[in-house]
Amino acid sequence: MAWRSSGVTLAELVDNLAGHGMIPNERVKQAFLSVDRAHYAPRNPYQDAPQSIGHGVTISAPHMHAMAVKHLGEFVIGGSQGRRVLDVGSGSGYLTHILAELVGDNGEVVGVEHIPALCEQAKHNMEKSDEGRQLLASGKVKFVVGDGRLGDSSSTDTFDAIHVGASAATLPQALVDQLRSPGRMFIPINDEDDSEGNQSVWTIDKAADGTVTKTRLFGVRYVPLTDAPR
Ligand code: SAH
């Protein structure tokens, strides 16, 4: 599915994503239209491909961000009762911003990133728009430096949804523990036979009674969820 949805403008990129069934509804479409990807991707922002953002890291391809939002569905889309969302490996801050547009009144998004310079970059990127500045000033979006495999260690509050933007060696138990009942996680995990570096995205659902169900979605290529570089 890679590369198929590129556009010359943001509107064209989002139209192409929608045309390929990756944007589930008008609300999500408006969220993608409201955040200029050029504020987060330094080159070719409307190309449907990952782009280097320095530190050996990439901003994920637009279709992967769209698929993440699509699969997290109602767990990130809040109304009068807002959603609380964790974005692990927040990198450029782009998806963190998109999620903040969706979580609804009193919703909150926490980005956890282990490279401090990228955490600063994400804030800087978000400050390029009035909406982004407001999200930071109001506390609706918070960026935290830390090991995302441990979740958000700055608070004990749990999350309706957790997005993981880098591939885990195994499913981190701390993230499962920080999911609400009900709640959903979207996470790439290295395949058991990962000698060829194959990874798959999984949704991890915690039901109202606390039962955890794991569903494999599709194969992917993400950067790994690692120890922080020294
Ligand atoms: N979702 C972001 C970044 C994707 S790249 C975007 O699209 O812009 C994956 C990110 O995960 C990188 O920024 C990398 O530094 C971060 N990362 C890798 N391992 C991590 C860990 N253990 N804890 C927190 N962040 C981590």
Side-chain angles (χ1 to χ4, degrees):
M1 82 181 85
W3 332 113
R4 301 199 306 206
S5 296
S6 296
V8 174
T9 60
L10 178 64
E12 203 174 86
L13 168 65
V14 175
D15 267 347
N16 289 340
L17 289 168
H20 289 130
M22 294 183 199
I23 304 271
N25 56 49
E26 188 58 27
R27 174 122 178 242
V28 171
K29 186 172 182 185
Q30 288 308 320
F32 274 86
L33 284 172
S34 73
V35 181
D36 192 348
R37 202 166 176 278
H39 292 169
Y40 296 87
R43 284 169 298 280
N44 304 318
Y46 311 126
Q47 200 179 326
D48 191 12
Q51 307 281 347
S52 168
I53 54 170
H55 307 275
V57 162
T58 53
I59 175 174
S60 300
H63 69 268
M64 282 313 308
H65 289 138
M67 291 303 271
V69 170
K70 179 175 167 177
H71 285 282
L72 287 169
E74 65 191 89
F75 295 95
V76 297
I77 300 176
S80 53
Q81 199 189 354
R83 300 289 189 231
R84 198 160 185 272
V85 180
L86 179 65
D87 184 19
V88 172
S90 46
S92 67
Y94 171 75
L95 185 64
T96 326
H97 189 165
I98 295 270
L99 290 167
E101 297 292 334
L102 291 168
V103 291
D105 298 341
N106 305 315
E108 192 183 13
V109 188
V110 180
V112 181
E113 169 58 55
H114 69 170
I115 299 178
L118 279 177
C119 224
E120 286 309 308
Q121 185 64 44
K123 286 183 216 163
H124 174 74
N125 291 340
M126 199 167 271
E127 280 166 355
K128 292 175 188 170
S129 66
D130 289 342
E131 296 79 9
R133 272 194 297 280
Q134 177 58 29
L135 289 171
L136 287 171
S138 66
K140 188 161 189 159
V141 168
K142 213 167 59 165
F143 289 103
V144 178
V145 176
D147 186 343
R149 292 170 293 194
L150 305 176
D152 175 17
S153 38
S154 72
S155 152
T156 53
D157 202 356
T158 49
F159 296 94
D160 297 294
I162 299 179
H163 169 264
V164 183
S167 189
T170 55
L171 176 63
Q173 185 58 39
L175 295 182
V176 179
D177 293 343
Q178 286 176 35
L179 262 190
R180 288 183 177 161
S181 307
R184 181 177 292 168
M185 180 175 356
F186 177 99
I187 179 169
I189 304 179
N190 299 347
D191 288 350
E192 265 173 36
D193 172 17
D194 67 353
S195 50
E196 290 177 20
N198 295 329
Q199 312 162 344
S200 302
V201 172
W202 294 73
T203 46
I204 312 296
D205 273 287
K206 199 188 268 188
D209 67 1
T211 311
V212 174
T213 311
K214 306 171 189 178
T215 310
R216 181 187 178 276
L217 297 182
F218 43 79
V220 280
R221 269 287 145 139
Y222 275 74
V223 302
L225 199 59
T226 60
D227 292 338
R230 289 163 181 267

